[in-house]
Amino acid sequence: PNLIPVKVDGATKEFDLFGGRVGFLTFSVEEESPAAAALESKVMCLSRATVGSPVALSQVLLLEAMEDEGIEAEIERVRAELRRRYRALRAALDGVDHSLLRPLPFNSGCFALVEIGESVGADADAVRHHLLEHHDTGLIAIGERFLRIAFCSVEESALPELVDRLERGVRELAN
């Protein structure tokens, strides 16, 4: 009786509005009840004290999207495109030399992480710089041995070439 379920959603997950920073809290209490009023007041105070103001543009875009009758079809179109890109990247990564690059598990979201093999002898930032300077390829270094691939922003047809450049660049540094 002293627990209140809370559902947390956001525009990123529900509407593929990456960077939108708009979220939703749904409490399992009766609307217009004293409990609802108290929770609303507490959340508003916490938000003002810790989160800051969301960007108005994100709020306007999200409101327009929520009122658009075709939004579900648009969301599905985007997700289908991400699934195709995921499959293309997954297939390309399956063919790499795993002593140089080891793909970590990922889904059809937006990003994949690959681990640079210990035998390469170069850290992720050195690989990132080499790829940018010699292969016109930009990736994000994370820690000492990981590179993040943002496949959400790469055309499906370009993903095999991206992986080829990545493997070639890592191989050059390993030699």
Side-chain angles (χ1 to χ4, degrees), residues 1-51:
N2 295 327
L3 296 178
I4 300 174
V6 179
K7 182 179 179 202
V8 181
D9 288 312
T12 297
K13 183 181 94 176
E14 300 298 326
F15 291 90
D16 298 324
L17 182 63
F18 298 96
R21 307 289 188 251
V22 178
F24 310 93
L25 293 174
T26 305
F27 296 99
S28 180
V29 295
E30 197 64 41
E31 281 187 51
E32 310 299 326
S33 69
L39 283 169
E40 182 178 358
S41 175
K42 295 289 184 193
V43 169
M44 287 171 60
C45 289
L46 284 170
S47 294
R48 281 192 302 272
T50 61
V51 177

Side-chain angles (χ1 to χ4, degrees), residues 79-98:
R79 290 181 180 169
E81 178 64 31
L82 289 173
R83 281 191 296 275
R84 286 190 297 276
R85 290 178 187 187
Y86 161 79
R87 288 185 195 111
L89 180 59
R90 177 88 264 157
L93 287 171
D94 284 345
V96 300
D97 179 345
H98 288 242

